[in-house]
Structures are given as structure tokens and as C-alpha cells.
Amino acid sequence: MMRRLFHASLFSLSLLVALTLVCFFLFTYLPGDAARTVLGAYASERNVAALRADWGLNKPLFHQWWWFLQGLFEGDMGHSLINQRPVDDMLISRGMLTLTLGGVSAVISLVGSYGINLIMWLRPDWRRLRYFALAGVLMPAFFSAMMVLVILGSLFPAWAFARLGTSLSHWYDVLIPAIIVALYPMALLTTLLEQRLQEQSNTLHALAERAWGYGVVKRFHRSLLRPAALPWLAAWLHQFSVILVATLVTEVVFSFPGLGTLLVSAVQQKDYPVIQAVILANGTFFVLLYWMQRMLLAWLDPRVRN
Amino acid sequence: MYGIEYLPSVRHALWLLLYIAILSVLALGAGQLLDPFAVDTTHRYHPPSMAFPLGTDGLGRDLLARTLYAIGLSFKVVLYALLVAGGLSLVLGGVAGYYANRWIDHLVSWLIALLTSIPFFLWVVALFAVIPADLETIYLVIGLLAWAGPARTVREVVAQLRRAPFVLAGHAFGFSTRRVMVRSFMTFVLPPVFFNLIYAIPELVAVEVGLSFFGLGAQPPTPSLGRMVYEGLREWSVAWWVALLPAAGFAVILAIIYFYSSRSHPLASE
């Protein structure tokens, strides 16, 4: 297990290094001469050269990348080209909100798919619930977000107007977008879990436990959910990237002050340090998630281990 | 075993691809006929009516024409991207599987892990934030990033088949490596890759739409669904239909694709 941990960690580390390299090349190297951009087209060649030397832009690329890494370790991701604010401040305040929104919707999707399946198990004539779940697959997040805005806007006009460009003040400001984001992953997880449970309910061990006289709820958890849980959890972890995209888009629709709205404005103003920071932070998060997922699955499932 | 169970459903999947291609051509043609670029300032913010079924936007452009044209473009981009991704995944995944556990396999597997561990959308946004986007670069870049998922499948299948009796027989007959790879593996590799790609369609469409939503896709005069929705959101209080109706049209199209692709699922019971 220790060996495995070591290997997985080394692997994830190599992915992180590659991520910083890609970001460095894309956002620091490719956009051209930063010194010339800052000083403008009419600056003298001497001043540009001086600034370039001052910023170390004439050093070898490897050095520049090393400084870039050092900056990252010290939490210094540069300043926004637009309002000169340090990027890491923005990233943390916005990122926490996005993390909350994404986290809440991840929990909703997991708990929701479990709950729907439990209800369908307890009340077989309520199986139509699954069509309700399917609706989530069919609607892209921004469409369902707009539908909710329309409906809520006609019910509570004041709330919908307040949503246009303000900060969060109530719990439902997070919960409503989170439910919208969760619709799609919840639908997928529900159908997946339903299939797995169906398979499990036909097995001999399920029959045996039924013969032993276990109760309905206990059988659901013991003989169905436990063997079905692993692919379900793995699929849940896979859905995180879907949740990310839906979160970013839904934020824009709801004017939710998270990373999505930050990214939109940064893209429109070509604010490269901010875009870079958003990509780096999310990329790091997902590499770590991938690492955790591998360790978790190896820990839960002996078959993966060898 | 060896992916045989996929074979009967390949026909379904082919139909889906053909269907999407036809839909793309039809949408592009209809959009072109209705002229998505015609500016008519006498009909600014015209609500949905018989003359303009989806209404008009702030420049008086017919939203039906723009929506159709944008859907056609999205599908076109996605189909081309699928071609690029499919070809790449066959070559790279095949080589990695054939030379399993050698350095080239480690390299390809590492690339696959790098591409799949970080969400697809982040890669696309990162690249297009720097590269200027036109339609060719969009499908090329999406294709260059989307090969990783199917390539993993190809690698698994080829690595499993490497020691299969008929492959060894091919080697014993003195067939060249290339012939063995193309003749023996292709039949088994193609169906699962096909399904991988088919299942990627809704995601790729969503990525393309999301890209233009964030202002990184096809640039303004060209209609793109994401951009229309984004701009429509800013005119929400003036004209709700500018954002809502194109989005609804898109949802309907996605639903159709979803039903087709779930019917062509190899594990679907019927």
C-alpha cells in the first residue's frame, strides 16, 4: 500500500509539473513580450530592454519557469492586467464561493440519486420518478437555470431582480443554483445506480438475505447498495468535471460572484494572469482529486490493488 | 469477449452519425436561406410571431435563422472533431496497447492521464484564451484533446488481444506488424471506439457551446449558441426570448441526440 501511495503521488506530481509548464507557456510565454505590452508601442527600445532585464525576461526559459514555480509556492500569481489587484486574493474569495456551490451540488447529486433509488425500492409503483430524473440529462445547465429564473422571476420578482449583479445574502442564493447544477449528474447517477441495484437484486446473496428475513430497508442497504456502491461512487467522482462546467455557466446566468463570472470578464478583457490562475487552481484541484480517487478506489476495492 | 457484443449496435450508431450529419447540413442550409446575418433595424426586439417564430435580437436579426445556423455549425465542428479524435485515438491507443509496458506505452498513458485528469473544458478554455478561434482551429483543438478517452479503450483492447491465438498465427505466417495491427485489431477495436465517440457527442456539443458562452468560440458575426444565450442574458429585461428560445431549441436537439444514443447503447436490453 505504501508503494502504491508513493507511485500514485509521484505520478500526480508529474501531472502537476506538466500543468504548470503548459500554463507557463500558454499565458506567460506565448502572449508575446510582456515588457512591450506594458510600456506600449511608443516606448523606446532601451526602456523596453531595461524592463525586460528587470523582469528577467531575457533569462533562459527554464529559469523563468522556475521563478514562476517559486511565485506559485509563495502564493504569488501576479496582478490582474485590468485592475492591478493581486490575483491570489481574487482567486481565494471567488474560489471559495465556487467550491461551496460545486460542493453543495455534488452532495445533492449523490444524496439525491440515493434517495430516489431508495424511494423506488420501497414503492415500486413510483418508478416513474426515473423519468423525472431523466429530464435532468436532457437540459443543459444554462437552459434549466434560465427556466428557473423565469419561474422564480414571475413568482418573486424582487428576488430575480436582486440577482442581477449582487453578492450573496441568503442560503437559497447558493441552494437554487446548486440544485440546477446537480440535475444532470444526479440523473446520470440515478440511472446508473438503478441498473446496478437491479443486477444485484437478482443475485443469490440477495435472495439468501431475503430468506433470512431481513427487512426491506436493511436489504436495500446490505445486499443491494453495498455491492453496487463502488461503480456508483466512481461515477460520482467522474461527474466532478461536469459539475465544474455547469457551475461556471450557471454562475454567469445567476450573476453568482464565483470563478465563472471572473473567468467570463477575464476572457473578455484578455486578462491573462487571471485566466491562468483560474485554470491552474482548477487543474490542481482535479489532479489532487484524481489522486484521491485512485487511492480511495484501491483502498475500497482489492481487485484494483493488484 | 473481445467486444463482439458491440457489433449488432454499430448500425444504430452509424445511423446516429448520419442523422447528425444530415441535421447539420439541413440546419446550415435552412439558416443560410433565412439569412442569419441580415440586419434589419426596423424590427429590433420583435417578439416571437408568425413572421419571426423565435423573435429578433437587438439588431433585428432573425433568431430562428441564427439558431439553426448555429446548431448546424456546432454539429459540424463536433463531427470534424470526432474524426480527428477517432483517428488519433486509433493510432496512439493502438501503438500503446501493442507495445504495452514499454516506454512508448508509458508515454501515451501518461498523456492520456494528463488529458483526462483535468476537465476537458479547462484545457479548451486555456488554449482558446491564447489561440485566436476560428472554426478550423476549434475542431482541430477539440479533436486534439478529445482522443484520450477512446485511446484508453483502444489500448486496453489491443493489449488484451496481443497474445490472442489468431494474432500469434498472423505473426507466425510472417505478416508485417502493420498488417497484423490493421487487419487483426481493427475489427475488435472499431466498435468500442465508435461508442466512446458517440457518447462523447453531447459532451463535445456542450463544450463547444460553453466555449462560445465564455466568449472564446466562433467570433461575433458568426452565430453561435453560447454567445447568443450570453448576449441574450444581458438583454433579459428587454427581450426574454433572445436568450431563452435559442437555449430551448438547443435543449430539444440535445434531447433527440440523447434518445438516439441511448437506443444505440450496446447494453440496452432490446
Side-chain angles (χ1 to χ4, degrees), chain B residues 204-234:
Chain B
L204 291 185
V205 173
V207 163
E208 202 270 339
V209 171
L211 197 65
S212 54
F213 186 84
F214 280 88
L216 292 169
Q219 291 307 308
T222 317
S224 58
L225 273 173
R227 207 64 208 154
M228 285 159 71
V229 170
Y230 180 75
E231 310 254 292
L233 279 175
R234 320 186 108 192

mmCIF file of all heavy atoms in Angstrom, chain B residues 204-234:
data_model
loop_
_atom_site.group_PDB
_atom_site.id
_atom_site.type_symbol
_atom_site.label_atom_id
_atom_site.label_comp_id
_atom_site.label_asym_id
_atom_site.label_seq_id
_atom_site.Cartn_x
_atom_site.Cartn_y
_atom_site.Cartn_z
ATOM 1 N N LEU B 204 -19.201 17.001 -26.165
ATOM 2 C CA LEU B 204 -18.469 17.894 -27.065
ATOM 3 C C LEU B 204 -19.342 19.063 -27.496
ATOM 4 O O LEU B 204 -18.873 20.200 -27.574
ATOM 5 C CB LEU B 204 -17.970 17.126 -28.292
ATOM 6 C CG LEU B 204 -16.869 16.108 -28.021
ATOM 7 C CD1 LEU B 204 -16.371 15.512 -29.314
ATOM 8 C CD2 LEU B 204 -15.727 16.751 -27.279
ATOM 9 N N VAL B 205 -20.612 18.774 -27.780
ATOM 10 C CA VAL B 205 -21.521 19.868 -28.136
ATOM 11 C C VAL B 205 -21.587 20.856 -26.980
ATOM 12 O O VAL B 205 -21.502 22.080 -27.170
ATOM 13 C CB VAL B 205 -22.933 19.326 -28.464
ATOM 14 C CG1 VAL B 205 -23.897 20.472 -28.659
ATOM 15 C CG2 VAL B 205 -22.901 18.468 -29.703
ATOM 16 N N ALA B 206 -21.684 20.315 -25.753
ATOM 17 C CA ALA B 206 -21.761 21.188 -24.586
ATOM 18 C C ALA B 206 -20.484 22.011 -24.446
ATOM 19 O O ALA B 206 -20.539 23.201 -24.107
ATOM 20 C CB ALA B 206 -22.001 20.368 -23.323
ATOM 21 N N VAL B 207 -19.332 21.395 -24.721
ATOM 22 C CA VAL B 207 -18.076 22.134 -24.624
ATOM 23 C C VAL B 207 -18.035 23.250 -25.653
ATOM 24 O O VAL B 207 -17.659 24.387 -25.349
ATOM 25 C CB VAL B 207 -16.867 21.189 -24.807
ATOM 26 C CG1 VAL B 207 -15.611 21.965 -25.124
ATOM 27 C CG2 VAL B 207 -16.661 20.371 -23.563
ATOM 28 N N GLU B 208 -18.474 22.936 -26.871
ATOM 29 C CA GLU B 208 -18.456 23.951 -27.928
ATOM 30 C C GLU B 208 -19.366 25.115 -27.543
ATOM 31 O O GLU B 208 -18.992 26.279 -27.685
ATOM 32 C CB GLU B 208 -18.903 23.308 -29.243
ATOM 33 C CG GLU B 208 -18.459 24.043 -30.482
ATOM 34 C CD GLU B 208 -19.463 25.075 -30.919
ATOM 35 O OE1 GLU B 208 -20.646 24.993 -30.551
ATOM 36 O OE2 GLU B 208 -19.054 25.999 -31.637
ATOM 37 N N VAL B 209 -20.556 24.779 -27.032
ATOM 38 C CA VAL B 209 -21.493 25.824 -26.646
ATOM 39 C C VAL B 209 -20.955 26.609 -25.449
ATOM 40 O O VAL B 209 -21.008 27.843 -25.411
ATOM 41 C CB VAL B 209 -22.876 25.215 -26.335
ATOM 42 C CG1 VAL B 209 -23.791 26.246 -25.736
ATOM 43 C CG2 VAL B 209 -23.489 24.669 -27.591
ATOM 44 N N GLY B 210 -20.383 25.884 -24.477
ATOM 45 C CA GLY B 210 -19.810 26.548 -23.311
ATOM 46 C C GLY B 210 -18.682 27.480 -23.702
ATOM 47 O O GLY B 210 -18.549 28.583 -23.176
ATOM 48 N N LEU B 211 -17.890 27.045 -24.665
ATOM 49 C CA LEU B 211 -16.761 27.846 -25.137
ATOM 50 C C LEU B 211 -17.245 29.182 -25.680
ATOM 51 O O LEU B 211 -16.722 30.241 -25.340
ATOM 52 C CB LEU B 211 -16.038 27.053 -26.226
ATOM 53 C CG LEU B 211 -14.644 27.491 -26.577
ATOM 54 C CD1 LEU B 211 -13.741 27.272 -25.396
ATOM 55 C CD2 LEU B 211 -14.146 26.695 -27.762
ATOM 56 N N SER B 212 -18.301 29.124 -26.524
ATOM 57 C CA SER B 212 -18.773 30.384 -27.085
ATOM 58 C C SER B 212 -19.528 31.179 -26.022
ATOM 59 O O SER B 212 -19.544 32.402 -26.067
ATOM 60 C CB SER B 212 -19.631 30.145 -28.322
ATOM 61 O OG SER B 212 -20.668 29.262 -28.055
ATOM 62 N N PHE B 213 -20.094 30.490 -25.043
ATOM 63 C CA PHE B 213 -20.747 31.180 -23.928
ATOM 64 C C PHE B 213 -19.741 32.059 -23.195
ATOM 65 O O PHE B 213 -20.034 33.173 -22.784
ATOM 66 C CB PHE B 213 -21.347 30.143 -22.970
ATOM 67 C CG PHE B 213 -22.172 30.714 -21.861
ATOM 68 C CD1 PHE B 213 -23.498 31.025 -22.055
ATOM 69 C CD2 PHE B 213 -21.629 30.924 -20.610
ATOM 70 C CE1 PHE B 213 -24.263 31.540 -21.037
ATOM 71 C CE2 PHE B 213 -22.386 31.435 -19.578
ATOM 72 C CZ PHE B 213 -23.704 31.750 -19.799
ATOM 73 N N PHE B 214 -18.506 31.540 -23.051
ATOM 74 C CA PHE B 214 -17.475 32.314 -22.369
ATOM 75 C C PHE B 214 -16.745 33.255 -23.325
ATOM 76 O O PHE B 214 -15.726 33.825 -22.962
ATOM 77 C CB PHE B 214 -16.475 31.379 -21.678
ATOM 78 C CG PHE B 214 -16.994 30.858 -20.380
ATOM 79 C CD1 PHE B 214 -17.754 29.716 -20.333
ATOM 80 C CD2 PHE B 214 -16.748 31.541 -19.208
ATOM 81 C CE1 PHE B 214 -18.250 29.251 -19.141
ATOM 82 C CE2 PHE B 214 -17.251 31.077 -18.013
ATOM 83 C CZ PHE B 214 -17.999 29.931 -17.980
ATOM 84 N N GLY B 215 -17.272 33.394 -24.543
ATOM 85 C CA GLY B 215 -16.698 34.357 -25.470
ATOM 86 C C GLY B 215 -15.446 33.868 -26.156
ATOM 87 O O GLY B 215 -14.673 34.664 -26.668
ATOM 88 N N LEU B 216 -15.214 32.556 -26.174
ATOM 89 C CA LEU B 216 -13.984 32.041 -26.773
ATOM 90 C C LEU B 216 -14.245 31.270 -28.058
ATOM 91 O O LEU B 216 -13.307 30.788 -28.675
ATOM 92 C CB LEU B 216 -13.273 31.123 -25.776
ATOM 93 C CG LEU B 216 -12.701 31.820 -24.559
ATOM 94 C CD1 LEU B 216 -12.261 30.822 -23.536
ATOM 95 C CD2 LEU B 216 -11.539 32.686 -24.968
ATOM 96 N N GLY B 217 -15.500 31.122 -28.458
ATOM 97 C CA GLY B 217 -15.788 30.302 -29.634
ATOM 98 C C GLY B 217 -15.729 31.118 -30.910
ATOM 99 O O GLY B 217 -14.910 32.028 -31.036
ATOM 100 N N ALA B 218 -16.617 30.764 -31.835
ATOM 101 C CA ALA B 218 -16.690 31.485 -33.100
ATOM 102 C C ALA B 218 -16.967 32.959 -32.816
ATOM 103 O O ALA B 218 -17.772 33.296 -31.949
ATOM 104 C CB ALA B 218 -17.801 30.881 -33.954
ATOM 105 N N GLN B 219 -16.315 33.838 -33.537
ATOM 106 C CA GLN B 219 -16.365 35.256 -33.176
ATOM 107 C C GLN B 219 -17.579 35.969 -33.781
ATOM 108 O O GLN B 219 -18.129 35.517 -34.786
ATOM 109 C CB GLN B 219 -15.053 35.926 -33.558
ATOM 110 C CG GLN B 219 -13.887 35.450 -32.691
ATOM 111 C CD GLN B 219 -14.158 35.587 -31.202
ATOM 112 O OE1 GLN B 219 -14.541 36.639 -30.713
ATOM 113 N NE2 GLN B 219 -13.987 34.497 -30.449
ATOM 114 N N PRO B 220 -18.008 37.086 -33.166
ATOM 115 C CA PRO B 220 -19.315 37.692 -33.328
ATOM 116 C C PRO B 220 -20.135 37.599 -34.603
ATOM 117 O O PRO B 220 -21.210 37.046 -34.463
ATOM 118 C CB PRO B 220 -19.092 39.119 -32.880
ATOM 119 C CG PRO B 220 -18.207 38.917 -31.723
ATOM 120 C CD PRO B 220 -17.312 37.731 -32.080
ATOM 121 N N PRO B 221 -19.725 38.026 -35.781
ATOM 122 C CA PRO B 221 -20.807 37.969 -36.780
ATOM 123 C C PRO B 221 -21.334 36.553 -36.988
ATOM 124 O O PRO B 221 -22.507 36.359 -37.265
ATOM 125 C CB PRO B 221 -20.159 38.515 -38.055
ATOM 126 C CG PRO B 221 -18.713 38.657 -37.769
ATOM 127 C CD PRO B 221 -18.487 38.546 -36.309
ATOM 128 N N THR B 222 -20.487 35.547 -36.789
ATOM 129 C CA THR B 222 -20.935 34.165 -36.913
ATOM 130 C C THR B 222 -21.814 33.822 -35.718
ATOM 131 O O THR B 222 -21.411 34.024 -34.585
ATOM 132 C CB THR B 222 -19.731 33.205 -36.908
ATOM 133 O OG1 THR B 222 -18.723 33.758 -37.723
ATOM 134 C CG2 THR B 222 -20.130 31.835 -37.381
ATOM 135 N N PRO B 223 -23.034 33.326 -35.978
ATOM 136 C CA PRO B 223 -23.882 32.990 -34.836
ATOM 137 C C PRO B 223 -23.376 31.746 -34.122
ATOM 138 O O PRO B 223 -22.980 30.774 -34.759
ATOM 139 C CB PRO B 223 -25.244 32.727 -35.475
ATOM 140 C CG PRO B 223 -24.979 32.471 -36.891
ATOM 141 C CD PRO B 223 -23.677 33.091 -37.262
ATOM 142 N N SER B 224 -23.334 31.788 -32.790
ATOM 143 C CA SER B 224 -23.014 30.585 -32.029
ATOM 144 C C SER B 224 -23.946 30.560 -30.826
ATOM 145 O O SER B 224 -24.250 31.606 -30.246
ATOM 146 C CB SER B 224 -21.557 30.599 -31.581
ATOM 147 O OG SER B 224 -21.302 31.731 -30.800
ATOM 148 N N LEU B 225 -24.420 29.366 -30.495
ATOM 149 C CA LEU B 225 -25.474 29.253 -29.481
ATOM 150 C C LEU B 225 -25.068 29.887 -28.159
ATOM 151 O O LEU B 225 -25.817 30.658 -27.570
ATOM 152 C CB LEU B 225 -25.795 27.787 -29.259
ATOM 153 C CG LEU B 225 -26.830 27.215 -30.198
ATOM 154 C CD1 LEU B 225 -26.936 25.743 -30.011
ATOM 155 C CD2 LEU B 225 -28.153 27.888 -29.929
ATOM 156 N N GLY B 226 -23.866 29.553 -27.687
ATOM 157 C CA GLY B 226 -23.433 30.057 -26.386
ATOM 158 C C GLY B 226 -23.422 31.567 -26.345
ATOM 159 O O GLY B 226 -23.898 32.189 -25.403
ATOM 160 N N ARG B 227 -22.902 32.168 -27.428
ATOM 161 C CA ARG B 227 -22.803 33.624 -27.463
ATOM 162 C C ARG B 227 -24.189 34.252 -27.487
ATOM 163 O O ARG B 227 -24.454 35.258 -26.838
ATOM 164 C CB ARG B 227 -22.007 34.037 -28.702
ATOM 165 C CG ARG B 227 -21.301 35.362 -28.552
ATOM 166 C CD ARG B 227 -20.275 35.275 -27.473
ATOM 167 N NE ARG B 227 -20.045 36.579 -26.854
ATOM 168 C CZ ARG B 227 -19.600 36.707 -25.622
ATOM 169 N NH1 ARG B 227 -19.380 35.647 -24.883
ATOM 170 N NH2 ARG B 227 -19.386 37.885 -25.105
ATOM 171 N N MET B 228 -25.102 33.642 -28.270
ATOM 172 C CA MET B 228 -26.455 34.174 -28.350
ATOM 173 C C MET B 228 -27.110 34.171 -26.980
ATOM 174 O O MET B 228 -27.758 35.137 -26.571
ATOM 175 C CB MET B 228 -27.290 33.356 -29.331
ATOM 176 C CG MET B 228 -26.959 33.637 -30.776
ATOM 177 S SD MET B 228 -27.462 32.307 -31.851
ATOM 178 C CE MET B 228 -29.204 32.485 -31.801
ATOM 179 N N VAL B 229 -26.910 33.061 -26.255
ATOM 180 C CA VAL B 229 -27.512 32.969 -24.927
ATOM 181 C C VAL B 229 -26.884 33.993 -23.994
ATOM 182 O O VAL B 229 -27.572 34.697 -23.255
ATOM 183 C CB VAL B 229 -27.350 31.545 -24.368
ATOM 184 C CG1 VAL B 229 -27.739 31.496 -22.914
ATOM 185 C CG2 VAL B 229 -28.179 30.567 -25.164
ATOM 186 N N TYR B 230 -25.556 34.105 -24.058
ATOM 187 C CA TYR B 230 -24.875 35.031 -23.155
ATOM 188 C C TYR B 230 -25.319 36.469 -23.409
ATOM 189 O O TYR B 230 -25.647 37.205 -22.481
ATOM 190 C CB TYR B 230 -23.360 34.909 -23.322
ATOM 191 C CG TYR B 230 -22.588 35.827 -22.426
ATOM 192 C CD1 TYR B 230 -22.468 35.558 -21.071
ATOM 193 C CD2 TYR B 230 -22.017 36.991 -22.923
ATOM 194 C CE1 TYR B 230 -21.790 36.403 -20.242
ATOM 195 C CE2 TYR B 230 -21.324 37.846 -22.096
ATOM 196 C CZ TYR B 230 -21.213 37.547 -20.758
ATOM 197 O OH TYR B 230 -20.545 38.394 -19.932
ATOM 198 N N GLU B 231 -25.330 36.868 -24.683
ATOM 199 C CA GLU B 231 -25.745 38.229 -25.008
ATOM 200 C C GLU B 231 -27.209 38.422 -24.663
ATOM 201 O O GLU B 231 -27.600 39.484 -24.180
ATOM 202 C CB GLU B 231 -25.538 38.497 -26.492
ATOM 203 C CG GLU B 231 -24.159 38.119 -26.981
ATOM 204 C CD GLU B 231 -23.285 39.311 -27.240
ATOM 205 O OE1 GLU B 231 -23.587 40.031 -28.182
ATOM 206 O OE2 GLU B 231 -22.315 39.512 -26.493
ATOM 207 N N GLY B 232 -28.010 37.375 -24.898
ATOM 208 C CA GLY B 232 -29.430 37.452 -24.596
ATOM 209 C C GLY B 232 -29.673 37.691 -23.111
ATOM 210 O O GLY B 232 -30.593 38.410 -22.724
ATOM 211 N N LEU B 233 -28.809 37.088 -22.272
ATOM 212 C CA LEU B 233 -28.985 37.250 -20.827
ATOM 213 C C LEU B 233 -28.850 38.715 -20.416
ATOM 214 O O LEU B 233 -29.486 39.177 -19.478
ATOM 215 C CB LEU B 233 -27.945 36.422 -20.083
ATOM 216 C CG LEU B 233 -28.266 34.952 -19.937
ATOM 217 C CD1 LEU B 233 -27.097 34.238 -19.301
ATOM 218 C CD2 LEU B 233 -29.504 34.781 -19.081
ATOM 219 N N ARG B 234 -28.018 39.458 -21.135
ATOM 220 C CA ARG B 234 -27.809 40.857 -20.762
ATOM 221 C C ARG B 234 -28.988 41.711 -21.206
ATOM 222 O O ARG B 234 -29.142 42.837 -20.756
ATOM 223 C CB ARG B 234 -26.522 41.377 -21.390
ATOM 224 C CG ARG B 234 -25.418 40.364 -21.359
ATOM 225 C CD ARG B 234 -24.146 40.948 -21.847
ATOM 226 N NE ARG B 234 -23.246 41.140 -20.726
ATOM 227 C CZ ARG B 234 -22.145 41.846 -20.790
ATOM 228 N NH1 ARG B 234 -21.841 42.479 -21.898
ATOM 229 N NH2 ARG B 234 -21.364 41.943 -19.751
#
